[in-house]
Amino acid sequence: MAAPSDVSVIFQLKKNASQKCYGSVQLMDKIGAKPRNPVLIVCNKETYTCRIWPRSELDERTIMIESSSVKSRASASSIVLLKPKPAKHLSIAVVIDQCSERDNLVHLVKQTLHNHVVTVHQTIICASVIANLHGVKQINIQAGTPSADALLVVKSTDISIASVVSLEKHRQMTKQNDISPLGGLKLQHHLLKDFIEINFNLSSAAFRNGIDLNRVCLIIGPSGCGKTSLVKQVAMETNAHLMVTSGNQILGSRPGESEGNLREMYAKAVSLSEEGPCVWFLDDIEGLASGKGSAEGRVSTQLAAILDELHGSKNGNLVVLAATNQPNTIDKIVRRRIDKEIAIGVPRLEDRLDALQLLTKQLSLSSQINLCSIAEATPGYLGADLKALIHHAVHNSLCRHNYEGSVIVEAEDLEAALHAIVPSTQRHSDITADFKPTFWKDIGGLDDVKNKIKQAVEWPLKMGEAFRRLGIPCPKGVLLYGPPGCAKTTLVRAAATSCHVTFLAVSCAQLYSPFVGDSEKKIAEVFQQARAGAPSILFLDEVDSLVGNRFQGNSKGGSSVQERVLSTLLNQMDGVGLRSDEAPQLKIKEGESVPASSQPQQDSISVDNSQVLVVAATNRPDMLDDALLRPGRFDRLIYVPPPDQKARVEILKIHRRRTPMSEDVDVEAIALQLDGFTGADIENICREAALLALTVDGIGATEVNQSHFDRVLKEAQPSLSTQQLLSYSQIKSQSS
């Protein structure tokens, strides 16, 4: 007989909770139960098998269950009286502490379950003193005979243990459903899963044939790219236990403590591997194996000894994975013992789209949202940045609806989130990425220059496979030169927008410093930031003031800051970088004496600039050093001339779309009067004509007419002279 379904269930916290529950006499009469009869209670999709006892203070719609953990009040869907049969055989799985003794485990379990009523697939939390003393935490009933709704464990019951699982591994198995799928890491996921499965599945055959398998893998990538999530995902898919170790668990204050902690962690990993496949994950390994000080050097030596021991063992169930965002800081004695390295870079366009589709899978998106456009607008964003972007958009939607009703993410929510979320690769730096999109249609004229820039900038970034197939080296640098105000910066920004890559614009004021070595360090940081956000375009505006010609200066002995900055820039473009994480120890101003012991020391390292294109602009190309202009550095030199008649007409039409003009405005006639004017001059003329319309016609003016342009043109003067244009023509003929 079953009780009503509206019975309230409360849980009584008890340290040594037994298989007991309590109900009123009226409730017991309804289900036909007597004191100590077993009942089955279904509550919150969980089942509780316990013996019921009367309690006078409870009403007929309340039942109390003893529990060793805190649980909130719930409602029982059913309470059924059980009629158990004596169990002949039980097959169980036991969850124990890592340090528990496994001898006589069957006898201990039999004592714990004696006189218990159990059901198949039931989980019993062990709270008795004997069970806790021997580390038995949980017993799972997998099968039993005879077939019945409930079985009673008696002295004659035969118990067999099907599996013994450590408490740590059991907890991880129960949390695996919380791991969200990854997006944009298909290649790295395949490589890492293949690495782990070869060790777990082929280790026995490899050992028989005397083959040493790769046992240690290093995952390299910037913070927030998904290294830890990738390891968790692959460990779950390969059914391996994941043991995560970080620096704060290892490093100690006393001599020898860190090495002892590291050795204990390795012993724990070996013990877990005896139960089945185990992955020992060393997160942020650079904190353990930097080898910079004496203590860190001892830890590095101990870790190298452990890796040697692992390589020499026949334990095929243990794999060591490590992650870092600073691979060059890892001690050499540790890094040479790493068998495989997997790099995770900045997600490409298709990777970002894949990640966005997964992140928005459970969300209600407006029909106006195009995830492809969002992916194109997020160059340089890592997985963590994309997740933060979606969360911020959801928060914006909640704020608009005052946290009520269903949440539908609109395009304006994502637009606001794009302005609020800065990519991880561009944070903590004085150099900020330029996210303002500019399109080719916004630039009037200059068709020949646009085609040249597309070939020099867009083609290598968009069609890299075609370049490699034909053996064409991608250009490392492009120099735009021409009069000021002719849209050199705007052209580069349009190319970056078209390529969907990170665009970094750097001015000379951000790079110069009065301290020795500081300017070189900033140059290295800029290139490091560009590589972190690759594929990227690094734009150096007014490069002539940053790195001039060494033979036109007044410095002697090559000691000027401009020469040192030029040398650093040349090295960075050639792929020989300086470690920007090591700053000078002393701040010494230019011209002051520098002690020999205080000279800034920076190690040269090999860097990859294949996904970084350096674009520079100048209006004084004759001031640049010849070493900078040779092929292999600035491969393409593109002259950006002032607009001709056709270009001036197109520029005026572009401004006509923004500024309302009357029908009497003749852009052809206006363009004829603007010979020698740059694009910036034409924009200024349109602005002055609009201001004049407000002045003459009052604040209620709605459009600009021809008379306004005529008055402005009478006072306007071109920025360029015939002599300046002649000098640029001579430079163009010399460079070609």
Side-chain angles (χ1 to χ4, degrees):
M1 183 177 178
S5 59
D6 57 349
V7 175
S8 178
V9 179
I10 59 176
F11 296 91
Q12 182 186 28
L13 183 62
K14 197 171 183 180
K15 184 177 181 182
N16 297 322
S18 58
Q19 199 178 34
K20 287 183 180 181
C21 64
Y22 305 94
S24 65
V25 176
Q26 296 84 353
L27 179 63
M28 293 175 63
D29 289 340
K30 283 185 178 181
I31 62 176
K34 294 181 180 180
R36 208 172 174 274
N37 280 169
V39 294
L40 179 67
I41 304 171
V42 181
C43 173
N44 290 341
K45 298 182 181 180
E46 294 184 0
T47 58
Y48 300 89
T49 304
C50 49
R51 296 181 182 273
I52 192 166
W53 295 82
R55 181 162 287 187
S56 57
E57 65 268 23
L58 297 176
D59 58 44
E60 60 179 340
R61 294 188 179 278
T62 304
I63 192 167
M64 178 186 292
I65 301 176
E66 286 188 359
S67 174
S68 58
S69 60
V70 178
K71 295 183 180 181
S72 58
R73 181 189 291 264
S75 179
S77 57
S78 68
I79 303 174
V80 182
L81 178 65
L82 295 175
K83 294 181 180 180
K85 296 179 181 180
K88 292 182 180 180
H89 175 76
L90 288 179
S91 176
I92 64 172
V94 183
V95 179
I96 64 174
D97 271 342
Q98 182 67 28
C99 58
S100 301
E101 297 180 2
R102 304 190 182 190
D103 299 334
N104 301 321
L105 193 56
V106 174
H107 177 70
L108 177 63
V109 170
K110 201 167 184 178
Q111 276 187 315
T112 304
L113 293 181
H114 180 63
N115 212 24
H116 269 57
V117 177
V118 298
T119 58
V120 179
H121 305 306
Q122 179 186 359
T123 298
I124 300 171
I125 307 298
C126 300
S128 65
V129 176
I130 297 177
N132 287 333
L133 184 63
H134 292 83
V136 179
K137 297 298 181 182
Q138 190 171 305
I139 299 173
N140 299 320
I141 310 298
Q142 296 185 340
T145 57
S147 178
D149 293 337
L151 297 172
L152 176 64
V153 182
V154 295
K155 287 185 178 181
S156 60
T157 302
D158 177 44
I159 296 178
S160 63
I161 299 177
S163 64
V164 179
V165 182
S166 64
L167 181 61
E168 184 175 351
K169 186 172 183 178
H170 175 74
R171 286 174 176 169
Q172 180 183 316
M173 292 167 61
T174 57
K175 292 180 180 179
Q176 284 183 347
N177 293 331
D178 298 335
I179 299 176
S180 57
L182 293 172
L185 297 176
K186 293 180 180 179
L187 175 61
Q188 293 82 0
H189 177 272
H190 171 73
L191 293 174
L192 185 60
K193 188 175 181 180
D194 187 58
F195 174 83
I196 292 176
E197 286 182 337
I198 287 176
N199 276 275
F200 291 159
N201 299 333
L202 303 178
S203 57
S204 300
F207 294 148
R208 284 196 304 269
N209 293 279
I211 301 174
D212 294 330
L213 293 175
N214 295 334
R215 311 290 292 278
V216 186
C217 179
L218 177 65
I219 304 171
I220 302 172
S223 298
C225 68
K227 300 185 293 294
T228 304
S229 299
L230 176 64
V231 171
K232 290 181 178 178
Q233 180 76 21
V234 174
M236 181 189 71
E237 293 177 359
T238 55
N239 198 26
H241 175 73
L242 177 63
M243 192 184 89
V244 182
T245 301
S246 57
N248 58 354
Q249 296 175 271
I250 299 297
L251 300 178
S253 58
R254 297 188 298 272
E257 184 180 0
S258 301
E259 300 93 291
N261 293 338
L262 186 60
R263 177 60 64 174
E264 287 179 6
M265 288 294 179
Y266 175 64
K268 183 178 178 181
V270 171
S271 177
L272 288 170
S273 67
E274 294 174 358
E275 300 179 29
C278 177
V279 173
W280 185 21
F281 180 47
L282 301 175
D283 200 6
D284 295 328
I285 191 176
E286 71 275 3
L288 295 175
S290 62
K292 291 182 179 179
S294 59
E296 290 80 0
R298 292 195 302 270
V299 175
S300 298
T301 304
Q302 183 65 248
L303 180 57
I306 287 174
L307 296 182
D308 287 338
E309 184 177 332
L310 175 64
H311 282 104
S313 70
K314 301 297 182 182
N315 185 0
N317 279 342
L318 181 59
V319 170
V320 176
L321 303 181
T324 181
N325 57 1
Q326 300 175 15
N328 296 313
T329 62
I330 300 176
D331 200 338
K332 295 178 181 178
I333 66 170
V334 174
R335 192 164 185 181
R336 75 175 183 85
R337 287 166 170 81
I338 294 172
D339 304 310
K340 185 181 182 68
E341 294 186 0
I342 297 176
I344 301 178
V346 177
R348 298 169 299 174
L349 175 61
E350 55 269 25
D351 297 331
R352 296 195 298 272
L353 179 59
D354 186 24
L356 286 170
Q357 288 172 344
L358 281 173
L359 289 169
T360 58
K361 190 175 182 180
Q362 304 296 330
L363 296 178
S364 298
L365 300 180
S366 169
S367 58
Q368 298 179 351
I369 293 179
N370 186 354
L371 290 181
C372 292
S373 301
I374 301 298
E376 291 174 354
T378 52
Y381 278 62
L382 303 176
D385 302 324
L386 295 174
K387 187 175 182 179
L389 176 73
I390 299 302
H391 286 182
H392 201 283
V394 173
H395 180 264
N396 292 340
S397 178
L398 286 170
C399 291
R400 284 193 300 104
H401 293 88
N402 294 323
Y403 300 92
E404 295 177 355
S406 59
V407 177
I408 299 178
V409 180
E410 302 286 349
E412 61 188 44
D413 299 325
L414 274 171
E415 188 69 26
L418 280 171
H419 288 89
I421 302 299
V422 179
S424 301
T425 55
Q426 313 303 333
R427 295 177 192 166
H428 314 297
S429 174
D430 295 335
I431 310 301
T432 57
D434 194 328
F435 300 109
K436 182 181 178 182
T438 304
F439 304 98
W440 291 114
K441 64 181 181 180
D442 298 330
I443 305 173
L446 302 176
D447 293 334
D448 183 53
V449 176
K450 289 179 184 178
N451 290 330
K452 290 181 179 179
I453 292 177
K454 287 178 182 179
Q455 292 177 4
V457 179
E458 282 192 22
W459 286 14
L461 294 173
K462 282 187 172 182
M463 300 178 288
E465 182 60 34
F467 272 63
R468 288 188 292 271
R469 186 171 60 249
L470 295 176
I472 304 173
C474 296
K476 292 185 178 180
V478 177
L479 177 66
L480 305 182
Y481 67 95
C486 291
K488 295 185 290 293
T489 304
T490 309
L491 285 167
V492 180
R493 187 178 283 111
T497 303
S498 176
C499 297
H500 311 299
V501 297
T502 305
F503 179 64
L504 298 175
V506 183
S507 66
C508 305
Q510 293 173 286
L511 298 178
Y512 267 122
S513 172
F515 300 105
V516 174
D518 221 24
S519 298
E520 299 92 300
K521 177 175 177 288
K522 289 183 178 181
I523 289 282
E525 285 179 348
V526 168
F527 273 85
Q528 184 180 9
Q529 187 175 349
R531 287 188 289 269
S536 60
I537 293 176
L538 177 57
F539 180 57
L540 304 177
D541 201 5
E542 301 296 340
V543 69
D544 54 287
S545 61
L546 178 66
V547 283
N549 195 318
R550 287 172 290 186
F551 301 102
Q552 293 183 1
N554 298 322
S555 61
K556 297 180 180 180
S559 61
S560 73
V561 61
Q562 194 174 51
E563 292 184 20
R564 294 199 308 270
V565 169
L566 174 61
S567 177
T568 303
L569 178 62
L570 297 178
N571 286 334
Q572 288 287 344
M573 294 184 69
D574 290 340
V576 182
L578 292 177
R579 285 179 53 173
S580 62
D581 56 333
E582 295 184 1
Q585 297 297 320
L586 293 177
K587 291 282 189 177
I588 302 172
K589 288 189 175 182
E590 192 73 27
E592 295 181 358
S593 60
V594 184
S597 60
S598 302
Q599 288 281 1
Q601 300 293 327
Q602 290 185 308
D603 298 333
S604 293
I605 60 173
S606 178
V607 294
D608 181 19
N609 289 336
S610 59
Q611 293 293 309
V612 177
L613 180 64
V614 181
V615 182
T618 180
N619 52 14
R620 293 294 306 275
D622 55 310
M623 296 295 294
L624 295 179
D625 196 273
D626 293 337
L628 199 62
L629 300 178
R630 73 162 176 82
R633 284 167 181 158
F634 284 118
D635 304 271
R636 297 291 300 275
L637 276 64
I638 300 175
Y639 174 57
V640 183
D644 55 12
Q645 172 64 16
K646 179 183 176 182
R648 293 194 295 269
V649 171
E650 292 185 11
I651 293 172
L652 287 170
K653 288 181 178 179
I654 290 174
H655 288 292
R656 192 170 194 169
R657 295 199 301 262
R658 304 170 185 171
T659 303
M661 299 182 186
S662 63
E663 296 181 357
D664 67 335
V665 175
D666 187 355
V667 293
E668 296 281 351
I670 295 174
L672 285 173
Q673 303 178 56
L674 297 178
D675 188 23
F677 285 74
T678 65
D681 294 335
I682 297 173
E683 180 182 6
N684 184 60
I685 286 174
C686 293
R687 183 171 55 250
E688 291 294 330
L691 288 174
L692 184 61
L694 286 176
T695 304
V696 175
D697 301 339
I699 201 67
T702 58
E703 60 183 9
V704 182
N705 56 41
Q706 183 69 35
S707 62
H708 299 140
F709 276 99
D710 293 338
R711 290 181 59 180
V712 170
L713 287 173
K714 288 180 180 179
E715 301 178 2
Q717 296 293 328
S719 298
L720 301 176
S721 63
T722 305
Q723 185 178 357
Q724 287 177 308
L725 294 176
L726 181 61
S727 63
Y728 280 114
S729 299
Q730 293 174 350
I731 294 173
K732 180 183 177 181
S733 61
Q734 292 174 2
S735 62
S736 60

